[in-house]
Amino acid sequence: MKKVLILEDEVSIRSFVVINLKRAGYEAIEAGTGAEALERLKENPDIGVAILDIMLPDIDGFEVCRTIRATNKSIGIIMLTARTQEMDKVTGLMTGADDYVTKPFSPAELTARIDALYRRIGGDTGADASEQQQGPFLLNTRNRTLEKNGRRIKLTQVEYAIMKLFMQNPGRALSREDILTSVWGRDFDGELKIVDVNIRRLRIKIEDDTANPTYITTVWGFGYKWGV
Ligand code: CA
């Protein structure tokens, strides 16, 4: 089961998060202080995502984030920020956080962020195979590479993330909003057009005939669909 650490000193908020994490299929590891969080991480090196509150009784969440990042580059980190503290977002991202969620938040919002982060960091190890073959395409989630007919296709990180999303959802129409949220995160300020631009570039790289794409097809007025 995918493990998520929740560091929050307020018991009511922490229990609320734990219940919703469990409901979403995650194993929740709890901590009430920064020191405790670092201890839990040491005991559970397979934690994929950590949710860190900022105001804590011992050290602040930014410090916890910095300490984790000093030795762990691959874990996903989401900061819990207060609505009034705009600076928290900037500071959080500067100290190595991947995303932030503003209090008060809905359980659906938090789990959507965790899901997206798990996908983006490729934290879905374990039961998932690290290689996925679909038609002529071979996606390697460990090396973050894509091959077509045995030949490596050079992708940017964003293009790779889109390909991974497609290959995890074969035959499913994905809206441009879905793609934007999964790949760039919900708080990305750009326009939906950035999705189209990246798809256009991806098609040049992966389609047999860019003018008549067959792998990434357009779902008019909605988004795109992957199929082999
Ligand atoms: Ca707190």
Side-chain angles (χ1 to χ4, degrees), residues 5-20:
L5 175 84
I6 167 71
L7 165 59
E8 166 65 80
D9 57 317
E10 277 170 70
V11 178
S12 58
I13 299 178
R14 196 170 74 223
S15 330
F16 168 77
V17 171
V18 167
I19 289 167
N20 286 289

Side-chain angles (χ1 to χ4, degrees), residues 78-123:
I78 299 175
M79 305 300 293
L80 292 181
T81 70
R83 187 179 290 282
T84 49
Q85 291 158 292
E86 275 301 303
M87 277 308 290
D88 285 358
K89 298 176 182 173
V90 180
T91 314
L93 296 174
M94 292 295 286
T95 51
D98 298 288
D99 203 354
Y100 50 83
V101 170
T102 308
K103 289 181 181 178
F105 50 85
S106 72
E109 184 186 1
L110 184 64
T111 50
R113 296 301 186 81
I114 297 168
D115 292 346
L117 193 50
Y118 246 108
R119 277 199 297 266
R120 230 189 312 164
I121 61 173

Side-chain angles (χ1 to χ4, degrees), residues 76-216:
I77 298 178
I78 299 175
M79 305 300 293
L80 292 181
T81 70
R83 187 179 290 282
T84 49
Q85 291 158 292
E86 275 301 303
M87 277 308 290
D88 285 358
K89 298 176 182 173
V90 180
T91 314
L93 296 174
M94 292 295 286
T95 51
D98 298 288
D99 203 354
Y100 50 83
V101 170
T102 308
K103 289 181 181 178
F105 50 85
S106 72
E109 184 186 1
L110 184 64
T111 50
R113 296 301 186 81
I114 297 168
D115 292 346
L117 193 50
Y118 246 108
R119 277 199 297 266
R120 230 189 312 164
I121 61 173
D124 40 7
T125 49
D128 280 13
S130 64
E131 287 194 341
Q132 210 182 348
Q133 180 84 48
Q134 286 178 25
F137 297 98
L138 178 69
L139 185 80
N140 186 316
T141 54
R142 189 164 299 151
N143 304 334
R144 299 174 69 85
T145 57
L146 180 74
E147 287 178 9
K148 182 183 179 186
N149 295 319
R151 286 183 59 188
R152 172 82 66 88
I153 296 174
K154 284 198 178 127
L155 299 179
T156 65
Q157 288 296 319
V158 162
E159 290 163 351
Y160 168 82
I162 295 173
M163 280 306 298
K164 190 170 170 218
L165 179 67
F166 275 141
M167 290 179 75
Q168 284 172 336
N169 294 281
R172 200 180 126 199
L174 298 171
S175 73
R176 293 147 90 223
E177 288 85 352
D178 286 340
I179 299 169
L180 194 75
T181 305
S182 300
V183 175
W184 282 269
R186 185 179 295 229
D187 285 328
F188 183 73
D189 276 335
E191 298 170 36
L192 285 172
K193 214 182 301 168
I194 195 169
V195 175
D196 303 321
V197 171
N198 274 278
I199 296 288
R200 204 178 311 148
R201 258 202 333 246
L202 255 180
R203 278 176 168 160
I204 293 169
K205 294 185 180 184
I206 68 152
E207 293 287 347
D208 301 331
D209 175 5
T210 308
N212 296 294
T214 55
Y215 300 118
I216 302 174

Side-chain angles (χ1 to χ4, degrees), residues 27-89:
E27 182 180 343
I29 311 284
E30 297 178 57
T33 65
E36 218 182 307
L38 296 172
E39 199 54 40
R40 293 290 94 80
L41 277 164
K42 219 176 284 172
E43 295 162 2
N44 301 275
D46 54 339
I47 288 173
V49 171
I51 304 162
L52 309 177
D53 185 33
I54 293 165
M55 300 285 280
L56 298 162
D58 52 349
I59 43 177
D60 75 31
F62 298 130
E63 197 53 49
V64 178
C65 180
R66 221 173 281 133
T67 308
I68 296 172
R69 270 290 176 257
T71 56
N72 189 335
K73 302 271 182 260
S74 62
I75 191 170
I77 298 178
I78 299 175
M79 305 300 293
L80 292 181
T81 70
R83 187 179 290 282
T84 49
Q85 291 158 292
E86 275 301 303
M87 277 308 290
D88 285 358
K89 298 176 182 173

